[in-house]
Amino acid sequence: MLAKVALVTGSSRGIGRAIALELATQGLQVVINYAQSAAQAQQVVDLIQAGPGKAVAIQADVADPAQVEQLFSQTLAQWGRLDVLVNNAGITRDGLTIRMKDDDWRKVLDLNLGGVFWCCRQASKIMLKQRAGRIINIASSSGLMGNAGQANYAAAKAGVLGLTKSLARELASRGITVNAVAPGFIATEMTQALNHDAILAMVPLGRLGQPEEVAGLVRYLACDPSAAFITGQVLSMDGGLVM
Ligand code: NAP
């Protein structure tokens, strides 16, 4: 049987990197997508290929539909199939709504919601033909609760939840599942500049999550046979922040 293939957007750093490494341990061949961090993406490839795993780094700005098309055609040229898509690439451009620049609104929506849509559209075409596949979208607790100073980010992440449920309904008859994972505060570059005391006061488990913990949940949704009966769901991974 052909080895399965996973594409993880934004997997040069942070949560995406942990997801790519975790999926490689399950025997999947992994596409490491990045926008700018070429050296870090190559490090992830090297780490995977130091073991029995296979990986390739592909540069593409997933906020740009033309580059997304290239990303998927390069993936097919490399391995001929796609079994798992993890839409992880994301950015923040925080600011109160009254001061938010048009560009900060557009950039966050274009990547965090548009990018998920462009990638889902490409993956759906491939997975419908294969009559199999698993799509996991990385949302956020901000998309469930809202967050002052993150109107752009929360709107995009809430949009991802509507997209996830709609696509889950569109693809279910072919056995393709589409789910979202909503992390709370996870220790990555994205949360480095935040006030950790203020964060910890909100989190019942009293700590930040680790990228590897999010990766474990994604591995379950992407690889476990029993996850075949889970679709259209939003699973929180947040130390009890949202309950
Ligand atoms: P991060 O450490 O800032 O890493 C972001 C990743 O996205 C990098 O690999 C980056 O690659 C990539 N990326 C950025 N712009 C891109 C673009 N236009 N096209 C392709 N890739 C791009 O972020 P993180 O904390 O791991 O977050 C990962 C996901 O989890 C995001 O969707 C985020 O919203 C979500 N999330 C994070 C937290 C948290 O607490 N950290 C909480 C909830 C949800 P380059 O360096 O090459 O640009």
Side-chain angles (χ1 to χ4, degrees):
M1 205 178 87
L2 284 171
K4 289 191 170 176
V5 175
L7 192 166
V8 185
T9 68
S11 45
S12 52
R13 300 185 279 118
I15 295 171
R17 175 183 191 273
I19 292 170
L21 293 173
E22 182 68 30
L23 294 180
T25 68
Q26 302 301 302
L28 279 87
Q29 305 179 119
V30 189
V31 176
I32 312 298
N33 160 252
Y34 67 99
Q36 286 167 6
S37 305
Q40 283 171 283
Q42 191 54 46
Q43 271 176 13
V44 182
V45 171
D46 292 345
L47 259 177
I48 292 172
Q49 303 211 136
K54 286 196 182 142
V56 64
I58 303 181
Q59 194 275 336
D61 173 355
V62 299
D64 175 352
Q67 293 190 41
V68 168
E69 212 175 314
Q70 281 295 315
L71 170 65
F72 281 77
S73 57
Q74 281 178 257
T75 300
L76 286 184
Q78 179 81 22
W79 283 314
R81 56 185 294 119
L82 180 69
D83 301 281
V84 173
L85 167 66
V86 184
N87 283 304
N88 166 80
I91 52 165
T92 51
R93 292 285 183 277
D94 295 352
L96 292 174
T97 298
I98 51 168
R99 286 199 285 269
M100 188 172 287
K101 301 203 165 46
D102 292 357
D103 196 47
D104 290 336
W105 171 264
R106 287 201 190 96
K107 282 233 159 63
V108 169
L109 266 290
D110 282 354
L111 177 63
N112 296 12
L113 181 57
V116 177
F117 174 72
W118 316 128
C119 290
C120 281
R121 193 169 61 181
Q122 291 294 332
S124 298
K125 291 177 193 166
I126 301 166
M127 290 175 178
L128 281 168
K129 280 193 201 135
Q130 292 176 181
R131 293 182 161 267
R134 296 193 185 181
I135 297 176
I136 297 117
N137 296 325
I138 306 300
S140 168
S141 52
S142 295
L144 291 165
M145 303 165 74
N147 195 12
Q150 284 199 317
N152 51 358
Y153 184 81
K157 294 297 189 179
V160 166
L161 304 184
L163 167 54
T164 299
K165 292 173 191 183
S166 302
L167 191 62
R169 290 182 186 279
E170 290 182 20
L171 301 182
S173 64
R174 303 285 177 92
I176 300 161
T177 64
V178 189
N179 290 291
V181 168
F185 295 103
I186 309 297
T188 69
E189 281 175 40
M190 189 176 269
T191 49
Q192 240 164 27
L194 303 179
N195 175 344
H196 284 198
D197 290 340
I199 290 174
L200 297 187
M202 291 191 278
V203 180
L205 283 176
R207 66 174 177 85
L208 269 65
Q210 294 302 316
E212 293 72 22
E213 293 176 305
V214 181
L217 179 55
V218 171
R219 183 234 309 128
Y220 171 70
L221 291 170
C223 303
D224 199 282
S226 63
F229 203 51
I230 302 176
T231 199
Q233 301 305 304
V234 183
L235 294 149
S236 287
M237 162 65 73
D238 62 5
L241 179 67
V242 178
M243 66 165 90

